[in-house]
């Protein structure tokens, strides 16, 4: 019994001694953490969406405090939150242009198909099968919702025409939808943009015309009629330079295929079918 008692006592003493050593060592080698990191992190929304380019809100907070990221690095933060983070860092915040995702396709169920697809309802899977997918247009939206599943903010859905469509007011430009689109159809555009080119086809006009009723046919009417020179044709598709665009809507009115999307002042997008009927 005595042997057991002394053995237990010895273990207890050793445990206490090692605990004391570790406690002292933790104080000696303690890495001081900037208290602003926690304060900034608590101000961030906690979505961990990665839209800032960092692994999560904690990493974003550390980057802001270290100077590796600007105080407005979080695309989800409101103006008030960004201003508060700026006050924590003792700097003035520079207003950044809000940008949102945009899907460059209006075809969907109206685009011609090579065959009916009955495989896994996933865009990447559809793109990998024979012939680069079931659509005749090699640049069209499959409509299987990979982007929808990737969005953390319920900002993108498949519309009645089978095309992904972004809710501009909910979009934070986290770019997760862009990353999963196998055809690179989703880009970011200024939130304030009133005219948008709803096609990404690089096919020449005659070919594009036969593949989809809502494709750019490179007629150049938008380019020729733009009063500010904001529209140009690049790789057989109309491209808008928003630094020159005045949102006059001339390009949209001149487009014979109604490919250029016109957005009213109230923010509502004119449906493709309605535009085609105008």
């Amino acid at each position: 019994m005595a042997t057991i008692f002394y053995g237990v006592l010895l273990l207890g003493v050793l445990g206490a001694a090692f605990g004391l050593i570790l406690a002292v060592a933790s104080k000696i080698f303690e890495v001081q953490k900037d208290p602003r990191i926690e304060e900034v992190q608590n101000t961030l929304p906690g979505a961990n969406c990665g839209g800032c380019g960092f692994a999560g809100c904690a990493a974003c907070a550390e980057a802001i405090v270290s100077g590796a990221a600007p105080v407005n690095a979080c695309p989800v933060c409101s103006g008030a939150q960004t201003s508060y983070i700026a006050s924590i860092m003792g700097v003035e915040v520079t207003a950044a242009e809000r940008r949102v995702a945009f899907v460059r396709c209006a075809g969907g169920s109206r685009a011609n198909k090579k065959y009916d697809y009955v495989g896994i309802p996933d865009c990447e899977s559809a793109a990998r099968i024979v012939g680069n997918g079931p659509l005749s247009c090699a640049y069209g939206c499959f409509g299987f919702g990979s982007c929808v599943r990737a969005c953390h903010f319920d900002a993108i859905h498949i519309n009645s025409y089978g095309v992904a469509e972004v809710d501009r007011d909910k979009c934070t430009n986290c770019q997760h939808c862009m990353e999963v689109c196998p055809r690179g159809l989703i880009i970011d555009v200024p939130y304030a943009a009133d005219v948008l080119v709803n096609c990404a086809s690089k096919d020449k006009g005659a070919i594009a015309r036969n593949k989809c009723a809502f494709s750019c046919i490179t007629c150049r009417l938008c380019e020729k009629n733009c009063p500010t020179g904001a529209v140009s044709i690049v790789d057989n598709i109309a491209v808008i330079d928003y630094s020159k665009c005045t949102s006059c809507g001339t390009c949209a009115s001149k487009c014979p295929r109604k490919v250029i999307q016109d957005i009213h002042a109230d923010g509502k997008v004119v449906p493709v079918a309605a535009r085609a009927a105008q």
Side-chain angles (χ1 to χ4, degrees):
M1 289 295 294
T3 302
I4 296 174
F5 173 76
Y6 287 120
V8 172
L9 180 62
L10 178 60
L11 288 175
V13 172
L14 289 174
F18 284 126
L20 179 62
I21 292 171
L22 289 174
V24 173
S26 67
K27 290 295 183 182
I28 295 175
F29 298 106
E30 181 181 9
V31 177
Q32 295 296 326
K33 188 175 182 179
D34 193 322
R36 294 178 299 175
I37 295 177
E38 184 176 359
E39 195 170 359
V40 170
Q41 185 178 346
N42 290 337
T43 306
L44 295 174
N48 294 315
C49 66
C52 57
F54 297 95
C57 291
C60 180
E62 291 181 6
I64 291 173
V65 173
S66 68
V71 293
N72 58 359
C74 175
V76 186
C77 279
S78 64
Q81 288 172 305
T82 301
S83 296
Y84 184 67
I85 293 173
S87 68
I88 294 172
M89 297 303 299
V91 299
E92 292 185 3
V93 62
T94 302
E97 177 188 49
R98 181 181 176 185
R99 299 183 70 86
V100 293
F102 172 67
V103 183
R104 299 175 295 161
C105 182
S109 59
R110 281 82 53 85
N112 296 333
K113 293 184 179 181
K114 295 178 290 187
Y115 52 82
D116 290 327
Y117 176 73
V118 293
I120 300 172
D122 174 77
C123 299
E124 182 65 33
S125 298
R128 290 177 179 274
I129 63 173
V130 178
N132 193 29
L135 299 178
S136 293
C137 177
Y139 306 93
C141 176
F142 289 120
F144 293 128
S146 295
C147 53
V148 176
R149 293 186 287 275
C151 180
H152 295 272
F153 303 97
D154 191 39
I156 188 167
H157 298 92
I158 305 301
N159 64 23
S160 59
Y161 300 110
V163 179
E165 187 173 311
V166 176
D167 183 329
R168 294 155 63 88
D169 292 323
K170 289 183 179 180
C171 180
T172 64
N173 197 31
C174 70
Q175 302 190 0
H176 287 330
C177 57
M178 304 178 197
E179 295 169 359
V180 300
C181 179
R183 291 192 158 175
L185 290 176
I186 309 176
I187 61 172
D188 67 325
V189 298
Y191 176 80
D194 291 325
V195 286
L196 301 159
V197 180
N198 220 338
C199 180
S201 174
K202 295 180 180 180
D203 288 331
K204 292 184 178 180
I207 297 174
R209 181 193 296 274
N210 293 326
K211 290 184 177 180
C212 180
F214 296 92
S215 59
C216 177
I217 56 174
T218 326
C219 66
R220 295 185 180 271
L221 287 176
C222 53
E223 183 181 57
K224 294 174 182 177
N225 287 279
C226 179
T228 61
V231 186
S232 57
I233 301 299
V234 180
D235 291 333
N236 298 319
I237 187 71
V239 176
I240 298 175
D241 181 346
Y242 290 106
S243 67
K244 297 179 180 179
C245 181
T246 61
S247 302
C248 67
T250 300
C251 57
S253 66
K254 295 295 182 180
C255 179
R257 306 275 285 183
K258 304 300 180 183
V259 169
I260 301 182
Q261 191 176 62
D262 191 6
I263 298 179
H264 290 309
D266 61 5
K268 293 182 179 179
V269 178
V270 179
V272 175
R275 285 187 284 115
Q278 291 175 352

